[in-house]
Amino acid sequence: MMNDIIADALTRIRNAALRKLEVATLLHSNAVVGILEVLQQKEYIESFKVIDGENNKKTVQVTLKYDDNDTSVINEIKRVSKPGRRVYKSFSELKNFKNGYGTIIVTTNKGIIANDEAYASKVGGELLCTVW
């Protein structure tokens, strides 16, 4: 039984990028799909699609993105809030990450959004992960 499906998804993306794979397959959850939507919007991944598997088990196929030198666009992707230690921040603490080069993915009452969007709409929330 897996406790942290988000950490698992991030690890699978990280490992696939290190091995320069084109596609990573993740376990499906609404939180994972929300994170992937932000990653796609911020152009860290090419695309993703939800696939219905056997026994109603869905998976998500993520097409990774690489630059001209065949290096992954994602330098680092890290889980912040874990099941054992939740991390919450107010909107004023979400202004900048890595001088604007990185993105913090936050879950708020407005859904899963990027830190700049959370700052603009003045909502805080739980920090799911950081990407740059």
Side-chain angles (χ1 to χ4, degrees), residues 4-17:
D4 194 355
I5 198 161
I6 294 172
D8 177 70
L10 299 180
T11 301
R12 287 178 187 218
I13 291 172
R14 195 180 311 113
N15 291 344

Side-chain angles (χ1 to χ4, degrees), residues 95 121 132:
K95 190 167 186 184
S121 44
W132 68 275

Side-chain angles (χ1 to χ4, degrees), residues 55-109:
N55 305 338
N56 280 344
K57 284 215 166 115
K58 290 181 183 173
T59 57
V60 185
Q61 277 204 329
V62 181
T63 308
L64 299 175
K65 191 171 186 178
Y66 297 95
D67 63 14
D68 301 334
N69 306 331
D70 235 14
T71 353
S72 173
V73 189
I74 299 172
N75 294 308
E76 178 186 85
I77 185 163
K78 258 196 197 149
R79 183 80 159 111
V80 179
S81 200
K82 303 181 172 91
R85 180 172 170 269
R86 301 289 186 194
V87 180
Y88 298 92
K89 297 277 185 220
S90 69
F91 80 93
S92 57
E93 297 171 283
L94 294 174
K95 190 167 186 184
N96 248 348
F97 176 63
K98 300 265 185 204
N99 291 329
Y101 287 110
T103 302
I104 305 171
I105 299 178
V106 191
T107 177
T108 66
N109 54 6

